[in-house]
Amino acid sequence: EEQLVESGGGLVQPGGSLRLSCAASGFTFRRHWISWVRQAPGKGLEWVAYIKEDGSEKYYVDSVKGRFTISRDNAKNSLYLQMNSLRAEDTAVYYCARDKGSRSGMDVWGQGTTVTVSS
Amino acid sequence: DIQMTQSPSTLSASVGDRVTITCRASQSFNDWLAWYQQKPGKAPKLLIYKASSLESGVPSRFSGSGSGTEFTLTINSLQPDDFATYYCQQYNSWTFGQGTKVEIK
């Protein structure tokens, strides 16, 4: 079964840091772009970051540029999101999602991990 | 960046109805548009990709169409399992629409 499993969420104070992880299984991880997508409580989906198969290209939504870093370790079939200088508005469920390929949508999603930024 | 405006934000419908959701882009782009279904507490599910291609395993009552700046998701003969929130996503800069909640009338 093709699967993504996120971990690393939790409660953090404003200005703090957190590192999310996403473990892939059941497919060839190194052949896919992977993204992070978040959803604030009661709100819609927001794309956060994307990383190319080999990690050579990375893209971010403007609101996280300079604060968040996406990375991957293809040997470990793992994706990461380092989040620094966290703000209350970063509070959300964070999903990792596999790109289907050829700009065809995200076809495999994790169950999500919750990040709460609060004092 | 291309902005996506989805309408309506809420839609009340009955089982058996035909439902149409629209996504309009702030500028024209190719057919790199996807549609997702999300149920409360669950991850989104890909329904349609490249504007009109049905994802494997998705019932044929779901269809997508459109080009340029206007795209639509149609659900023919709405089923009880279809009451959910639907999102479009353009793949030029990966922006999602605001979502459309399909409620029971």
Side-chain angles (χ1 to χ4, degrees):
Chain A
E1 179 190 6
E2 299 173 326
Q3 197 172 9
L4 295 169
V5 178
E6 303 92 338
S7 61
L11 174 64
V12 61
Q13 292 189 339
S17 298
L18 211 55
R19 190 195 195 206
L20 305 184
S21 299
C22 171
S25 60
F27 66 95
T28 307
F29 180 72
R30 67 179 184 276
R31 291 182 180 171
H32 291 270
W33 286 62
I34 307 286
S35 71
W36 287 100
V37 175
R38 68 184 178 183
Q39 187 167 35
K43 302 297 184 181
L45 301 171
E46 180 182 37
W47 166 75
V48 174
Y50 237 127
I51 187 167
K52 195 178 177 181
E53 297 99 328
D54 60 1
S56 61
E57 295 181 32
K58 303 175 184 181
Y59 301 90
Y60 301 92
V61 68
D62 286 348
S63 60
V64 308
K65 283 179 183 176
R67 300 189 299 123
F68 290 12
T69 302
I70 190 172
S71 62
R72 64 192 296 163
D73 184 337
N74 287 342
K76 295 182 178 180
N77 291 333
S78 292
L79 174 77
Y80 307 101
L81 186 67
Q82 178 66 44
M83 304 186 295
N84 299 330
S85 302
L86 283 161
R87 306 166 180 167
E89 54 264 36
D90 296 318
T91 294
V93 175
Y94 284 74
Y95 297 99
C96 57
R98 184 185 82 172
D99 192 283
K100 185 176 170 72
S102 302
R103 296 183 180 263
S104 297
M106 301 172 183
D107 64 343
V108 178
W109 293 68
Q111 84 289 350
T113 188
T114 300
V115 173
T116 303
V117 184
S118 175
S119 55
Chain B
D1 288 354
I2 298 175
Q3 302 304 312
M4 306 302 291
T5 302
Q6 209 174 314
S7 61
S9 56
T10 306
L11 190 160
S12 297
S14 302
V15 172
D17 284 353
R18 183 172 187 257
V19 165
T20 299
I21 299 168
T22 299
C23 216
R24 290 186 175 87
S26 57
Q27 57 184 279
S28 179
F29 64 103
N30 46 32
D31 64 351
W32 294 339
L33 185 108
W35 289 96
Y36 301 87
Q37 177 194 67
Q38 187 182 33
K39 296 182 179 179
K42 300 294 186 181
K45 174 187 175 183
L46 178 65
L47 300 175
I48 301 287
Y49 62 94
K50 289 192 174 179
S52 60
S53 296
L54 190 69
E55 174 69 354
S56 176
V58 174
S60 59
R61 62 181 180 273
F62 291 92
S63 64
S65 64
S67 63
T69 61
E70 186 159 328
F71 299 84
T72 60
L73 172 71
T74 299
I75 311 172
N76 283 303
S77 188
L78 196 68
Q79 297 301 299
D81 191 49
D82 301 338
F83 291 98
T85 301
Y86 295 84
Y87 295 92
C88 63
Q89 182 195 26
Q90 57 86 5
Y91 247 66
N92 199 59
S93 55
W94 305 292
T95 309
F96 287 92
Q98 307 96 308
T100 296
K101 185 176 182 180
V102 177
E103 298 180 328
I104 300 174
K105 193 172 187 179

